[in-house]
Amino acid sequence: MNVGVLANQPVTVLKGVGAALEQKLQKLDILTLQDLLFHLPLRYQDRTRIMPIGSLRPGDEGVIEGEVKGADIVMGRRRSLMVRLQDGTGTISLRFFHFSAAQKNNLKPGVHLRCFGEIRTGASGLEIYHPEYRRVDDTVITPVEESLTPIYPTTEGLNQTRLRALTDAALKYLEAGSLTELIPDHLRQQWQLPPLNDAVSYLHRPPVDADQDQLLDGYHPAQRRLAFEELLAHHLSLQKLRNKTRQQGAPLMQGDGRYCQLFLQQLPFPLTNAQQRVAAEIGKDLSQPFPMLRLVQGDVGSGKTVVAALAALQAVEGGFQAAVMAPTEILAEQHFINFSNWLEPLGLKVAWLAGKLKGKKRQAQLEQIISGEAQVVVGTHALFQDEVSFANLGLVVVDEQHRFGVHQRLALREKGRTDQRSPHQLIMTATPIPRTLTMSAYADLDCSIIDELPPGRTPVNTVVISDQRRAEVVQRVRDACVQGRQVYWVCTLIEESEALQCQAAEVTAEELKEALSELRIGLVHGRMKPTEKAAIMASYKAAELDLLVATTVIEVGVDVPNASVMIIENPERLGLAQLHQLRGRVGRGSVESFCLLMYHAPLSQQGRERLSVMRETTDGFRIAEKDLELRGPGEVLGTRQTGMMAFKVADLQRDSDLLTRVKQVAGQIAADSQLTDAIIQRWLGRDEQYATV
Ligand code: ADP
Ligand code: MG
């Protein structure tokens, strides 16, 4: 399909674009005129009006104009030049950390300036650091900008002025030629989407009468038009991936039920209805001739492991191996213990593989895996290294999928793949994914939800308490431990640095050992050796420790039913999903459990809101929706690392209402593979990574 001439015109056709500039543009993924035209402003500055100084708030950005009242060098923490500027409504300071003597001399009292910059609160009240400024003549009216000023995403050595000039030139080409409209006319009309060319030129140079608020918020029809097409491209790409997988054959696992039945008989509890339903959905998938791709969402403690075991047993009944992968060694080990306890009585062999397993022992496990002696293999991502070969891998179970990036998810499909077939895949997550996100980020997966907790659980009581009452909290820990309960004490830090976080936990552990000298206190953090960590966890689980001080490493999956109190320090620093995961470590036994969220005052508005959500509900799905609302999809999915949902225009939160339509349109054009490929190509282009598997 012809994606329009502009898609084939290299940027070098523009005047002044030589090799150096071409390289810089390449860094922005701009190779063609079409790329340049799709390189849309991140935001706009409003330089169309002059704001009264008296009306400014920190965080505002805008044009001001006033008279210099004084310019002084102040010493403070850094030497700086402070220029006081006044209009009829108020005064503001312009602060320069770098300045010349000539500059200072030019900013004499009485001079009129027009400035642009971001307003912040400084030592002297409202300030602008290094504003753009120029002298103006107060006797004539100097015109302001006539349209919103676009601010483009850029790279080193390429400034906004240059990018504006380049897009100006590209827009000239657009007037003469065109970008190919990829959404068929009748669908565009049906959904009231403006033509592509109009939308693109509008967004580069919004006219004077543009609805600026709408544009700044990203709700303009032109933006929505492009967001729509982009979401459509992502959707189609995941769909394509899904179809590709479906075309592959899969191991047939018509299980005869012999192991599953024995397993269920020996379980000390009956399955919940939700577990039965999901197990049946999986069972059906496994008996299909194409690979299962199913995401099981179930709140913490909903009993996903049993469901995974049933799937593994069906694979074994069909004569295949099953691999179960967990994101951390602690968790993998726990699964290994569970699976061994469950499956060995059935006469099955479970192998174990993790990074820490070395030498002969590792060799022995590897041999069991390749010979097929072990029917089920549990481990960390060590399972998917080159040295590991399976005899007959038929099912891959990935637990706690959030910790694995999308790319890892796709890489897994490769393991155990032969010419004829690809293994079934089951992904389990305890972090509920809001529906809007499943519709987009996970459109290639089928979804099951375990929406019921096993009976007999008492919901965790959550208390929000200031750290000024730390002494009371410590007393409460003592009381609980004296009664034979076990307690988690979780330390958090806002810094990304794991080292600092571990340090903080070490300090806290020392303090608590002093304050609670009669208790047995342990410490785990991410910088300890896996063997050390495992040893501490094991003795906590065996109730040889009363209190476990930890960083957020314990967030995922650890199961110690006797632990019924959790203290979380500075919970305001964590996302809701993470808090929910942490809290899920208690409330696993039959005694009443408590979670104390010990915040550091003052709380921000958002912090307060988050903590009260935690107090009000233990429903993981509600918490996930709220998390999405408060933090946005990038944070919720953790896609920063995976780089997956890097949208150019769309914003899943803002544009979530488009998704239903996107899905419909995707259905309407699905049959036209040339068209769908062109749409995918335009938006995901050269790095259509996750559609190539
Ligand atoms: P998660 O979904 O968080 O992975 P687990 O699979 O670890 O949950 O199960 C949590 C606990 O609940 C385990 O101790 C497990 O044995 C128990 N459990 C699972 N299913 C049931 C059930 N149907 N009835 C009672 N207890 C159950
Ligand atoms: Mg689990």
Side-chain angles (χ1 to χ4, degrees):
M1 168 152 206
N2 172 19
V3 193
V5 272
L6 297 187
N8 305 326
Q9 301 259 25
V11 275
T12 43
V13 301
L14 298 180
K15 239 186 236 136
V17 182
L21 187 51
E22 186 186 9
Q23 260 185 8
K24 283 181 194 145
L25 288 169
Q26 233 169 49
K27 283 204 189 129
L28 296 171
D29 254 335
I30 301 174
L31 307 185
T32 67
L33 291 188
Q34 172 175 277
D35 297 334
L36 187 54
L37 288 166
F38 272 87
H39 192 71
L40 292 168
L42 273 179
R43 57 192 185 91
Y44 302 91
Q45 286 174 344
D46 184 354
R47 299 178 184 230
T48 63
R49 64 203 157 100
I50 293 168
M51 299 167 80
I53 291 175
S55 75
L56 299 173
R57 299 265 169 285
D60 284 352
E61 193 183 53
V63 183
I64 55 172
E65 200 171 299
E67 186 184 328
V68 174
K69 288 292 170 187
D72 306 296
I73 293 176
V74 295
M75 295 315 281
R77 254 201 307 181
R78 270 175 81 189
R79 181 169 172 272
S80 54
L81 172 66
M82 293 283 277
V83 178
R84 268 176 306 117
L85 194 74
Q86 197 174 70
D87 66 3
T89 67
T91 311
I92 191 166
S93 302
L94 315 177
R95 191 190 281 270
F96 298 88
F97 294 110
H98 312 280
F99 55 92
S100 62
Q103 205 173 0
K104 178 174 182 299
N105 287 338
N106 281 331
L107 296 170
K108 281 199 283 286
V111 163
H112 279 256
L113 295 182
R114 179 173 292 177
C115 311
F116 180 86
E118 192 194 330
I119 316 300
R120 46 172 94 213
T121 324
S124 70
L126 291 184
E127 297 186 1
I128 306 182
Y129 291 180
H130 284 273
E132 292 174 35
Y133 73 92
R134 63 179 158 130
R135 286 180 70 151
V136 287
D137 183 343
D138 65 323
T139 58
V140 298
I141 295 176
T142 316
V144 287
E145 301 280 330
E146 288 200 332
S147 61
L148 295 184
T149 309
I151 305 293
Y152 293 99
T154 188
T155 183
E156 212 183 313
L158 191 59
N159 64 25
Q160 294 296 331
T161 320
R162 194 66 186 267
L163 270 167
R164 267 170 231 153
L166 284 169
T167 43
D168 268 335
L171 286 165
K172 291 246 161 61
Y173 272 83
L174 183 60
E175 274 166 33
S178 77
L179 292 166
T180 307
E181 182 63 71
L182 293 176
I183 301 185
D185 284 349
H186 69 282
L187 292 178
R188 260 197 322 104
Q189 272 148 22
Q190 184 185 346
W191 300 109
Q192 295 174 350
L193 301 168
L196 178 69
N197 291 327
D198 297 357
V200 167
S201 41
Y202 193 99
L203 291 177
H204 282 286
R205 298 293 177 269
V208 198
D209 61 350
D211 184 335
Q212 305 192 357
D213 290 336
Q214 209 180 31
L215 212 46
L216 293 169
D217 291 342
Y219 282 103
H220 192 278
Q223 287 161 318
R224 301 269 282 174
R225 160 68 176 83
L226 293 171
F228 184 90
E229 192 175 312
E230 184 172 32
L231 290 170
L232 182 63
H234 279 255
H235 189 92
L236 290 169
S237 139
L238 286 169
Q239 204 94 64
K240 183 170 154 190
L241 176 59
R242 182 189 164 90
N243 291 341
K244 257 191 178 158
T245 316
R246 288 208 153 211
Q247 281 160 15
Q248 293 160 3
L252 269 181
M253 299 177 178
Q254 216 85 42
D256 55 13
R258 71 203 134 112
Y259 290 126
C260 289
Q261 267 161 26
L262 274 176
F263 168 68
L264 289 173
Q265 276 165 22
Q266 63 157 39
L267 262 190
F269 46 74
L271 296 188
T272 62
N273 289 330
Q275 283 171 318
Q276 281 176 29
R277 190 189 66 240
V278 172
E281 284 165 359
I282 296 167
K284 191 165 167 239
D285 285 353
L286 293 179
S287 62
Q288 302 285 335
F290 50 84
M292 165 172 77
L293 279 176
R294 187 169 287 278
L295 175 68
V296 172
Q297 301 186 54
D299 214 335
V300 228
S302 61
K304 293 182 291 294
T305 322
V306 173
V307 171
L310 279 168
L313 287 174
Q314 188 169 337
V316 177
E317 284 167 12
F320 293 93
Q321 287 173 302
V324 180
M325 179 166 89
T328 65
E329 293 203 344
I330 293 181
L331 197 54
E333 192 152 12
Q334 197 169 287
H335 279 331
F336 173 63
I337 293 167
N338 277 329
F339 275 81
S340 305
N341 289 341
W342 286 333
L343 306 193
E344 271 165 14
L346 309 180
L348 300 178
K349 178 125 202 105
V350 183
W352 155 249
L353 206 64
K356 71 174 177 195
L357 196 69
K358 298 258 155 47
K360 278 207 179 106
K361 283 189 181 155
R362 186 182 193 88
Q363 210 48 47
Q365 298 294 313
L366 290 173
E367 271 157 28
Q368 287 180 5
I369 300 171
I370 194 165
S371 68
E373 188 189 339
Q375 292 92 342
V376 176
V377 185
V378 179
T380 58
H381 42 257
L383 283 181
F384 297 93
Q385 282 156 7
D386 287 343
E387 58 165 353
V388 188
S389 318
F390 289 82
N392 203 4
L393 181 62
L395 167 70
V396 174
V397 180
V398 185
D399 195 12
E400 310 291 355
Q401 115 98 4
H402 264 58
R403 292 305 179 89
F404 299 104
V406 179
H407 302 293
Q408 277 165 302
R409 164 154 81 82
L410 296 178
L412 289 189
R413 294 185 193 173
E414 292 302 286
K415 204 81 181 180
R417 177 154 159 185
T418 64
D419 288 344
Q420 302 87 32
R421 51 159 224 251
S422 171
H424 295 284
Q425 197 175 337
L426 182 64
I427 291 156
M428 305 198 297
T429 173
T431 315
I433 304 166
R435 222 178 74 80
T436 43
L437 296 190
T438 28
M439 280 174 65
S440 43
Y442 297 94
D444 60 326
L445 302 178
D446 294 309
C447 263
S448 295
I449 300 181
I450 308 184
D451 50 4
E452 181 185 1
L453 292 180
R457 300 268 167 85
T458 40
V460 182
N461 295 298
T462 301
V463 180
V464 177
I465 188 170
S466 156
D467 61 4
Q468 283 162 359
R469 293 168 62 189
R470 195 182 177 96
E472 279 170 57
V473 172
V474 169
Q475 182 56 38
R476 201 151 167 181
V477 169
R478 179 182 287 121
D479 293 346
C481 292
V482 166
Q483 286 168 27
R485 312 255 180 278
Q486 287 171 280
V487 178
Y488 292 105
W489 187 294
V490 183
C491 305
T492 62
L493 257 199
I494 194 153
E495 282 83 359
E496 296 286 291
S497 152
E498 204 190 355
L500 281 175
Q501 199 173 86
C502 299
Q503 222 174 24
E506 274 163 9
V507 171
T508 306
E510 284 314 310
E511 285 169 5
L512 288 171
K513 275 180 191 163
E514 228 161 83
L516 297 164
S517 54
E518 71 275 34
L519 300 184
R520 298 164 301 171
I521 300 177
L523 168 70
V524 279
H525 60 60
R527 293 200 124 196
M528 288 164 60
K529 288 209 191 89
T531 45
E532 287 176 298
K533 260 190 296 198
I536 298 278
M537 287 311 299
S539 59
Y540 187 64
K541 197 159 180 169
E544 293 157 11
L545 292 171
D546 303 302
L547 173 61
L548 185 65
V549 179
T551 56
T552 49
V553 295
I554 56 150
E555 171 191 346
V556 167
V558 177
D559 191 24
V560 182
N562 189 48
S564 59
V565 178
M566 172 173 284
I567 321 295
I568 304 179
E569 282 200 72
N570 304 110
E572 69 275 13
R573 292 166 175 172
L574 300 181
L576 280 178
Q578 208 178 1
L579 284 172
H580 181 63
Q581 285 294 310
L582 280 170
R583 183 171 60 181
R585 301 306 111 215
V586 291
R588 307 198 137 222
S590 48
V591 300
E592 193 170 33
S593 295
F594 292 88
C595 178
L596 276 64
L597 302 176
M598 193 165 66
Y599 66 90
H600 185 70
L603 282 177
S604 67
Q605 173 61 29
Q606 216 206 55
R608 210 184 335 258
E609 223 174 301
R610 285 221 296 260
L611 297 188
S612 63
V613 173
M614 291 304 293
R615 193 173 46 210
E616 280 155 23
T617 183
T618 51
D619 176 344
F621 279 89
R622 266 207 55 204
I623 290 175
E625 294 287 351
K626 201 73 196 171
D627 205 22
L628 180 64
E629 196 181 306
L630 292 172
R631 289 195 308 158
E635 297 278 346
V636 173
L637 281 174
T639 44
R640 291 256 173 83
Q641 306 101 292
T642 67
M644 175 205 168
M645 309 278 285
F647 289 108
K648 296 190 179 86
V649 189
D651 173 325
L652 279 181
Q653 177 69 10
R654 182 188 64 210
D655 302 318
S656 63
D657 60 313
L658 294 176
L659 289 169
T660 320
R661 246 183 283 169
V662 163
K663 218 170 153 179
Q664 280 170 331
V665 171
Q668 284 168 302
I669 61 174
D672 187 343
S673 67
Q674 273 192 346
L675 177 61
T676 56
D677 281 350
I679 295 174
I680 294 171
Q681 171 66 25
R682 172 181 280 169
W683 290 93
L684 296 163
R686 292 156 206 108
D687 47 22
E688 196 195 339
Q689 330 87 321
Y690 50 99
T692 54
V693 177

